[in-house]
RNA sequence: GGGAUUGUAGCUCAGCUGGCUAGAGCGCUUGAUUCACAUUCAAGAGGUCCACGGUUCAAGUCCGUGCAGUCCCACCA
């Protein structure tokens, strides 16, 4: 036998993937309807986690299914340079060597990180393969590939020309550790207790959490309707400070909550988002007092050089000394922004950056969503996306890091307001144009700016055949956590650049939690590495285990028991093939026609299963599709059909059934099914991966399907009675039953009967679940347990009959409900009555004997 | 403050457009080792579908309210 007893995935998976690759199985067909998916690019420097496993798993199921349907299916792989993310990793690496990024020029740093990433590049590609992703490697893209960079520049240019890009001095979320600005969406807000200091401030007392910023104050604000302070509004007041007296203007602004603190707020426009807004409204100057490294500058006098926190302590001490500190509220809860990478408190910093005017981009996106142009799984995420887009503010796309795509803009050294677009030779730091000297913007794009064009940039927009063939994408599958940062931007830029929404459907999976529903994190030590799971249980088991009981948008705990169950299922497929191989050693021959009742029944079940799985996958109900497959293969085929077929074999049909099972199981368990296909080698030099979905299955006879259903009922009841009375190898008899007469061998085998004989009048216990006349030879004293069971069944049937009668006596029901439903109820009532009658007869027989 | 979402067996979850006598995996009980598989087979136990109200012939499924939880967004010093 070619197939060993237990399926050992690690012995086959690598070879099978290599075979697919060598055979170019994943190149799209030249013809057929297009089905295209682009993989959300993982960080080129990192390892894949379970989130990637689910994305690749779901996409691969969809793509393999559509490939089998004869479509021109493409799964395009790629990787992300992941600008700031990767640079942060590299900085940690440098720190271990006692170095910092500030020891290098931008060019050196870029080239070092390039090498650093290149070293790890095989990593994720190997992991794609281990996950069985049927990607077309010839179309692999990296976010720093020339075509992606050029696309980012072209988009920037278009926005520049159309006035959507502007350079502005604005408050920016700034991390003083990483020394770069962030988009709003990259900031993590956390609740924390921060002391609220009440201090004397000229004629006022005011409350602040940030006394150290008072050197940057240019005003003090009160609510316009606050009678306490009316007389000061519009005046300039003198304030005694720790560095001596200074003056500020008093302004009235709605922003102030008269009930908070003392109803007076000091205004520091350069270091607070609220204050900046106030300053804009009242035309107040902004005074920067914090350096990019997080220390205070020369405007703070003796506090210069201190970090913000050091300065806070020092200023508070100084205030105390000068008797300016009134009190401190230690219980104040405050929300503060943190760097999502290093947790440093985000410092609002006044900086010149490139911004994208978002509302002109958001509006078409909202319209497309509202018009229902994109299907969302789950649907509710669409509503959330619309809400997000409606409130979207301008996007800061400048990052002060080296690892990224340089912004193609140059500034006139003599006129800071004169910027020109130039993407021709960005290696030049200085260029001359029209007799003027320009210096390159040292910043790079936010990674999301370039990755937003991923769907069409990877397909070589605008002229390439790929773009024409595969855009828009059929499906975008990713985690719901990047709905806002990525999906929203792909949608907006896709519409802006190509005039077409970039995908037809968006499927969002939830977070993968640990077995106890806890978030996975390095600090908790509960992170599961998908590669470890593959090592232990196999790639197919990981894939099927992860989609078991999964639904779109909901978080899901990762459970090893589900993986084990899936591993067992893979083994089941293996052993089904092993058995069939033992009866069909070589390529099968002969006419495929159903002969037995079991043959007709299994063909009917296969027909339903193939259709159900297709419907589920068309609707992206992955979990339901898998469950349908699982129960068909295990319950129907292995437990019933194979056992029945042992009584009477139909080898050509058996072979067809195995082949059909391998085909429909392949998207869910690509490795084990292909391994079986190759090992059996019934169709030499073919790949299951590019073999067609089952079609044109043999016809079956519905009457004979019902016959087998009846046989199943009989067998099951005999087994149950045998169990209830604790007797094995019982003897049975039957009367006036062609069905049983024709299937004696089968029944004896499946019900494990010692004998089955035809009689005119039977003795012992009569079956109640079937209309066929069947008796089990048991003396009544041995069957006492069984009478209890019957009594219980009688009670539940009576209840069912009452319920059904009540329903059918209700005229509203019979008149309003669809006829088919009413007919069904009537049939159910009839069946219940028949069954009850049979049970009662049996009970009566026990009582009289 | 605004928005979304969850509450179904001991555990983790399915249940799409209302027809359910409510399912799965794991766990649990009982029995089976001869011929594909103990990563197995057979038979079972286990649920007022969070609560209350409404719509409907019919509600786990739709609507409202409440209770409990989760997430996202938002400028309170």
């Amino acid at each position: 036998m070619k197939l060993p007893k237990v399926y050992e995935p690690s012995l086959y998976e690598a070879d099978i993937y290599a075979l697919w690759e060598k055979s170019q199985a994943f190149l799209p067909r030249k013809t057929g309807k297009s089905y295209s998916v682009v993989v959300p690019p993982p960080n080129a420097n990192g390892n894949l986690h379970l989130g990637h496993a689910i994305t690749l798993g779901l996409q691969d199921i969809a793509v393999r299914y559509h490939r089998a349907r004869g479509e021109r299916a493409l799964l395009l792989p790629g990787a992300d340079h992941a600008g700031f993310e990767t640079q942060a990793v590299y900085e940690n690496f440098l720190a271990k060597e006692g170095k910092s990024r500030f020891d290098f020029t931008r060019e050196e740093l870029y080239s070092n990180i390039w090498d650093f990433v290149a070293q790890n590049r095989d990593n994720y590609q190997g992991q794609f393969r281990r996950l069985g992703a049927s990607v077309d490697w010839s179309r692999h893209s990296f976010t720093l590939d020339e075509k992606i960079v050029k696309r980012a520049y072209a988009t920037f240019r278009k926005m520049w020309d159309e006035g959507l890009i502007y350079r502005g001095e604005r408050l920016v979320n700034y991390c003083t550790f990483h020394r770069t600005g962030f988009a709003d969406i990259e900031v993590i807000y956390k609740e924390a207790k921060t002391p609220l200091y009440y201090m004397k401030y000229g004629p006022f007392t005011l409350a602040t959490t940030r006394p150290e910023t008072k050197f940057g104050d240019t005003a003090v604000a009160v609510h316009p309707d606050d009678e306490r302070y009316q007389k000061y509004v519009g005046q300039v007041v003198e304030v005694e400070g720790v560095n001596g007296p200074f003056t500020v203007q008093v302004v009235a602004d709605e922003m102030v909550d008269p009930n908070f603190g003392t109803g007076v707020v000091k205004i520091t426009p350069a270091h607070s988002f609220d204050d900046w807004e106030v300053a804009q409204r009242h035309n107040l100057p902004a005074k920067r007092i914090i350096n990019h490294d997080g220390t205070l500058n020369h405007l703070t006098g003796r506090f210069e050089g201190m970090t913000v926190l050091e300065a806070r302590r020092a200023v508070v001490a100084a205030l105390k000394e000068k008797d300016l500190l009134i009190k401190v509220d230690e219980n104040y809860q405050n929300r503060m922004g943190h760097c999502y990478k290093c947790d440093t408190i985000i410092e609002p910093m006044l900086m010149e950056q490139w911004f994208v005017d978002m509302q002109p981009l958001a509006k078409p996106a909202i319209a497309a969503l509202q018009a229902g142009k994109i299907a969302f799984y789950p649907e509710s995420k669409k509503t959330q996306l619309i809400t997000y887009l409606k409130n979207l503010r301008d996007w800061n796309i400048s990052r002060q890091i080296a690892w990224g795509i340089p912004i193609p803009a140059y500034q006139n050294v003599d006129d800071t307001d004169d910027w020109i677009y130039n993407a021709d030779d960005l290696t030049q730091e200085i260029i001359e144009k029209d007799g003027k000297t320009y210096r390159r913007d040292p910043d790079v794009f936010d990674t999301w700016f370039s990755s937003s064009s991923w769907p069409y940039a990877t397909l070589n927009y605008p002229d390439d055949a790929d773009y024409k063939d595969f855009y828009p994408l059929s499906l975008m599958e990713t985690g719901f956590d990047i709905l806002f940062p990525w999906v929203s931007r792909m949608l907006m830029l896709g519409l802006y650049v190509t005039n077409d929404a970039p995908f037809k459907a968006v499927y969002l999976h939830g977070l993968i939690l640990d077995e106890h529903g806890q978030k996975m994190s390095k600090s908790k030590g509960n992170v599961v590495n998908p590669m470890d799971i593959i090592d232990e249980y196999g790639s197919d088991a990981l894939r099927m285990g992860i989609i078991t009981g999964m639904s779109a948008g909901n978080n899901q705990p990762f459970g090893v028991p589900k993986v084990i169950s899936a591993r067992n299922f893979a083994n089941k497929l293996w052993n089904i093939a092993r058995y069939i191989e033992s009866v069909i050693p070589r390529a099968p021959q002969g006419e495929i026609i159903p002969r037995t009742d079991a043959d007709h029944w299994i063909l009917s079940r296969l027909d339903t299963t193939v259709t159900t799985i297709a419907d589920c996958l068309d609707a992206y109900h992955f979990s339901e599709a898998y469950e349908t497959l699982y129960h068909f293969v295990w319950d129907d085929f292995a437990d019933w059909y194979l056992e029945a077929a042992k009584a009477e074999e139909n080898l050509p049909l058996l072979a067809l059934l195995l082949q059909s099972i391998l085909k429909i199981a392949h998207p869910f368990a690509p490795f084990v099914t292909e391994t079986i296909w190759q090992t059996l080698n019934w169709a030499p030099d073919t790949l299951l991966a590019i073999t067609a979905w089952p079609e044109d299955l043999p016809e079956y006879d519905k009457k004979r399907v019902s016959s087998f259903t009846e046989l199943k009922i009989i067998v099951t009841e005999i087994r149950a009675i045998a169990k209830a009375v604790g007797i094995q190898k019982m003897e049975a008899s039957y009367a006036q039953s062609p069905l049983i007469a024709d299937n004696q061998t089968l029944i004896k085998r499946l019900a494990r009967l010692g004998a089955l004989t035809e009689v005119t009048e039977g003795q012992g216990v009569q079956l109640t679940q079937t209309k066929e006349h069947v008796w089990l030879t048991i003396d009544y004293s041995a069957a006492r347990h069984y009478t209890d069971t019957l009594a219980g069944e009688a009670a539940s049937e009576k209840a069912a009959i009452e319920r059904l009668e009540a329903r059918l006596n209700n005229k509203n029901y019979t008149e309003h409900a669809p006829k088919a439903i009413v007919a069904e109820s009537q049939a159910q009532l009839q069946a219940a009555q028949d069954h009850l009658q049979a049970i009662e007869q049996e009970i009566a027989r026990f009582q009289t004997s």
Side-chain angles (χ1 to χ4, degrees):
Chain A
M1 210 179 268
K2 286 175 268 184
L3 300 170
K5 190 168 172 178
V6 168
Y7 173 59
E8 183 54 64
S10 59
L11 297 178
Y12 307 98
E13 288 180 355
D15 289 346
I16 289 292
Y17 198 92
L19 175 67
W20 286 331
E21 238 184 307
K22 193 186 81 190
S23 319
Q24 303 198 311
F26 306 144
L27 284 181
R29 285 191 173 77
K30 296 278 186 284
T31 56
K33 205 169 90 183
S34 149
Y35 187 85
S36 53
V37 180
V38 168
V39 179
N43 188 337
N45 183 55
N47 289 302
L48 302 192
H49 51 65
L50 282 172
H52 298 114
I54 197 167
T55 289
L56 282 167
L58 295 180
Q59 292 181 339
D60 195 54
I61 289 170
V63 169
R64 284 183 189 267
Y65 163 68
H66 284 276
R67 189 180 288 126
R69 299 304 303 252
E71 294 173 28
R72 181 194 292 220
L74 169 66
L75 182 56
L76 189 149
D80 192 353
H81 70 284
F84 171 67
E85 288 273 338
T86 302
Q87 179 163 320
V89 171
Y90 185 69
E91 282 184 58
N92 288 342
F93 166 77
L94 282 181
K96 278 180 201 146
E97 305 203 324
K99 292 182 204 154
S100 126
R101 67 184 261 207
F102 302 106
D103 299 335
F104 303 92
T105 66
R106 180 175 120 165
E107 279 73 19
E108 286 168 345
L109 200 58
Y110 185 94
S111 116
N112 290 352
I113 299 177
W114 181 276
D115 295 341
F116 182 68
V117 169
Q119 282 170 14
N120 294 306
R121 225 173 158 171
D122 289 345
N123 236 10
Y124 77 86
Q125 298 196 356
Q127 292 172 0
F128 269 54
R129 291 179 168 88
R130 295 202 64 198
L131 288 165
S134 63
V135 298
D136 177 1
W137 288 107
S138 72
R139 285 177 165 85
H140 178 276
S141 301
F142 180 49
T143 51
L144 295 179
D145 285 347
E146 202 189 348
K147 67 177 180 185
I148 309 293
V149 173
K150 282 198 163 157
R151 189 48 24 223
Y153 288 165
T155 304
F156 184 76
R157 178 70 196 254
K158 179 170 154 76
M159 291 178 163
W160 176 298
D161 290 344
E162 293 175 7
L164 290 178
I165 294 266
Y166 66 93
R167 186 149 179 102
E169 188 174 56
R170 294 277 208 92
L171 273 193
V172 170
N173 302 294
Y174 193 87
C175 172
T176 54
F177 177 79
H178 286 108
R179 295 201 209 170
T180 181
F182 288 117
D184 295 342
I185 202 162
E186 290 171 299
V187 177
I188 307 289
Y189 286 90
K190 290 184 190 174
E191 288 269 344
K193 269 190 186 171
T194 32
L196 185 62
Y197 302 95
Y198 285 77
M199 60 162 121
K200 240 179 127 55
Y201 202 88
F204 310 106
T205 296
L206 58 74
T208 180
T209 53
R210 300 201 63 181
E212 76 281 4
T213 61
K214 70 183 294 189
F215 309 108
D217 294 354
T218 56
V220 57
V222 298
H223 193 275
D225 303 333
D226 195 332
E227 289 176 8
R228 292 173 290 178
Y229 307 118
Q230 283 287 345
K231 57 183 173 182
Y232 298 108
V233 174
Q235 292 184 7
V236 171
V237 297
E238 191 180 88
V239 178
E240 180 60 27
V242 292
N243 284 344
F246 61 96
T247 56
V248 293
Q249 223 190 103
V250 181
V251 297
D253 196 281
E254 298 275 349
M255 170 272 249
V256 181
D257 175 0
N259 300 316
F260 183 89
T262 58
V264 184
V265 184
K266 69 189 195 63
I267 300 300
T268 322
H271 299 290
S272 155
F273 286 101
D274 295 337
D275 297 3
W276 173 254
E277 300 284 321
V278 175
Q280 295 300 104
R281 286 195 284 270
H282 299 274
N283 236 335
L284 301 168
K287 220 169 124 188
R288 282 180 248 214
I289 58 147
I290 300 174
N291 298 311
H292 286 173
D293 65 359
T295 61
L296 270 60
N297 70 13
H298 66 282
L299 292 176
T300 65
R302 62 189 161 107
F303 301 98
E304 182 180 1
M306 290 185 189
T307 66
V308 164
L309 285 176
E310 286 164 358
R312 185 172 306 166
R313 276 192 291 271
V315 167
V316 168
L319 285 170
K320 255 186 210 160
E321 211 167 285
K322 288 196 140 190
D323 212 19
L324 293 169
L325 190 71
I326 313 283
K327 65 169 180 175
V328 182
D329 177 358
E330 298 282 355
N331 289 317
Y332 178 60
Q333 284 280 347
N334 196 13
R335 268 165 57 84
M336 283 194 300
H338 291 254
C339 172
Y340 78 99
K341 201 89 247 180
C342 68
D343 211 38
T344 301
I345 292 174
I346 290 292
E347 201 60 63
M349 208 71 94
L350 193 55
M351 295 174 78
E352 277 224 352
Q353 306 270 282
W354 293 105
F355 289 89
V356 178
D357 183 4
M358 293 306 271
Q359 279 311 315
L361 294 174
K363 279 195 183 113
I366 294 166
L369 291 169
Q370 285 173 337
K373 293 204 173 138
I374 303 164
F376 269 75
Y377 304 87
E379 179 98 32
S380 61
K381 295 289 171 195
K382 183 158 82 181
T383 321
Q384 288 184 38
L385 184 53
I386 292 171
T387 311
Y388 171 76
L389 289 170
K390 281 184 177 162
N391 299 315
L392 197 52
R393 302 197 307 177
D394 290 355
W395 177 16
N396 170 16
I397 54 169
S398 296
R399 294 294 176 277
Q400 291 72 51
I401 58 174
W403 183 238
I405 300 174
I407 295 177
Y410 284 72
Q411 185 180 32
N412 186 334
V413 295
D414 299 315
D415 176 3
T416 52
D417 290 332
D418 177 18
W419 283 86
I420 56 166
Y421 173 89
N422 172 59
D424 295 335
D425 188 6
L426 276 153
T427 55
Q428 297 295 314
E429 199 177 334
I430 304 283
I431 57 169
E432 302 285 335
K433 202 161 189 187
D434 302 333
K436 289 179 269 186
T437 307
Y438 291 87
R439 187 188 304 277
R440 187 183 60 200
D441 182 346
D443 291 350
V444 302
F445 284 126
D446 178 358
T447 308
W448 298 113
F449 183 79
S450 52
S451 61
S452 298
S453 50
W454 200 238
Y456 51 89
T458 52
L459 296 172
N460 307 309
Y461 172 83
D463 297 320
D464 198 82
D466 270 7
Y467 173 73
K468 288 173 181 136
D469 288 344
F470 297 116
Y471 190 86
L473 305 175
S474 307
L475 171 69
M476 172 52 60
E477 201 299 321
T478 190
F480 73 73
D481 53 324
I482 51 174
L483 173 63
F484 296 159
W486 194 45
V487 178
S488 71
R489 283 165 172 74
M490 282 192 287
L491 177 57
M492 287 185 281
L493 287 201
L495 284 163
Y496 178 63
V497 173
T498 73
N499 281 318
D500 218 342
F503 24 68
K504 296 172 198 155
V506 175
Y507 188 103
L508 297 163
H509 64 258
L511 220 57
I512 302 208
L513 309 170
D514 77 1
E515 284 182 271
H516 311 289
Q518 297 285 311
K519 210 167 170 173
M520 286 190 187
S521 75
K522 278 182 195 157
S523 56
K524 284 187 206 146
N526 59 353
V527 178
V528 173
N529 177 357
M531 297 304 126
D532 293 345
I533 299 293
I534 292 178
D535 287 341
E536 195 168 354
Y537 303 103
S539 184
D540 297 336
L542 172 64
R543 176 181 297 197
M544 293 187 286
I546 220 168
I547 66 165
T548 304
M550 180 206 69
S551 59
N554 287 330
N555 290 347
Q556 43 176 345
F558 176 80
V560 172
K562 288 196 287 191
V563 176
I564 291 176
S565 156
R567 187 268 319 256
N568 295 351
F569 180 61
N571 193 57
K572 194 75 190 175
L573 287 166
W574 184 258
N575 272 291
I576 284 168
R578 212 163 90 87
Y579 169 72
I580 294 175
E581 189 206 5
S582 74
V583 295
I584 311 175
R586 273 180 296 280
Q589 288 174 340
E591 202 187 350
I592 302 170
I593 41 166
R595 299 178 197 283
T596 65
D597 291 344
D599 291 347
H600 286 273
W601 174 79
I602 195 69
L603 280 172
S604 134
R605 292 292 309 125
L606 176 63
D607 184 34
T608 310
T609 302
V610 169
T611 311
T612 306
I613 291 178
D615 289 349
C616 287
L617 289 180
D618 287 339
Y620 298 123
H621 294 160
F622 296 98
S623 175
E624 210 182 331
Y626 170 62
E627 205 173 293
T628 304
L629 172 75
Y630 182 97
H631 291 290
F632 169 71
V633 170
W634 203 312
D635 300 347
D636 295 339
F637 184 74
D639 289 344
W640 281 106
Y641 182 75
L642 275 188
E643 293 309 316
K646 285 173 186 172
E648 192 175 346
E649 280 173 340
N650 181 344
L651 297 183
L653 179 64
L654 191 58
L656 174 81
L657 290 165
L658 176 61
Q659 287 168 322
S660 304
I661 284 171
L662 292 175
K663 288 174 189 177
I664 57 177
H666 184 257
F668 304 91
F671 284 110
V672 69
T673 51
E674 185 75 74
T675 304
I676 293 167
W677 189 270
Q678 294 305 324
T679 311
L680 291 177
N681 200 31
W682 284 351
D685 302 321
T686 62
L687 293 173
L688 179 59
I690 46 173
T691 298
W693 191 250
E695 270 163 24
D696 299 325
L697 294 166
E699 297 284 325
Y700 52 86
D701 179 342
K702 280 187 183 153
K703 276 188 190 153
R704 303 200 60 189
V705 173
S706 311
S707 295
F708 191 75
T709 309
E710 194 65 21
L711 290 170
K712 282 179 67 194
I713 290 169
I714 292 166
V715 167
T716 304
E717 191 179 359
I718 296 173
R719 286 168 175 170
I721 295 173
K723 185 79 201 310
V725 300
I727 304 172
Q728 290 163 37
K729 293 263 172 195
M730 281 194 295
E731 299 198 345
S733 54
Y734 67 95
Q736 299 159 0
S737 172
L739 177 69
I740 297 188
D742 290 348
N743 289 283
Q744 284 194 58
T745 325
L746 180 78
I747 295 173
K748 269 175 74 176
R749 183 183 173 87
L750 295 185
R752 292 195 205 97
L753 290 173
L756 179 60
T757 46
E758 184 162 15
V759 294
T760 41
E761 183 58 46
Q763 298 220 326
V765 172
Q766 185 172 3
L767 301 194
T768 62
Q769 312 261 13
T770 175
K771 283 184 181 166
E772 307 297 325
H773 302 289
V774 188
W775 296 266
L776 289 170
T777 317
I778 316 168
D779 65 70
Y780 291 147
S781 63
R784 241 172 259 142
H785 284 95
Y786 180 58
T787 52
D788 293 346
T789 312
L790 281 183
E793 275 177 26
S796 76
E797 284 298 1
K798 273 180 197 158
I801 288 166
E802 273 174 37
R803 207 170 35 240
L804 288 163
E805 278 175 347
R807 189 182 298 170
L808 287 162
N809 288 334
N810 179 353
K811 270 197 183 147
N812 281 326
Y813 173 68
T814 47
E815 280 165 19
H816 289 95
K819 276 182 187 155
I821 298 286
V822 176
E824 201 182 299
S825 296
Q826 274 156 350
Q828 283 172 353
L829 178 62
Q830 185 62 50
Q833 283 167 340
D834 291 350
H835 188 210
L836 181 62
Q837 196 187 359
I839 293 169
E840 282 176 339
Q841 272 176 17
E842 273 307 285
I843 291 175
R845 273 156 47 106
F846 278 104
Q847 282 164 350
T848 53
S849 50

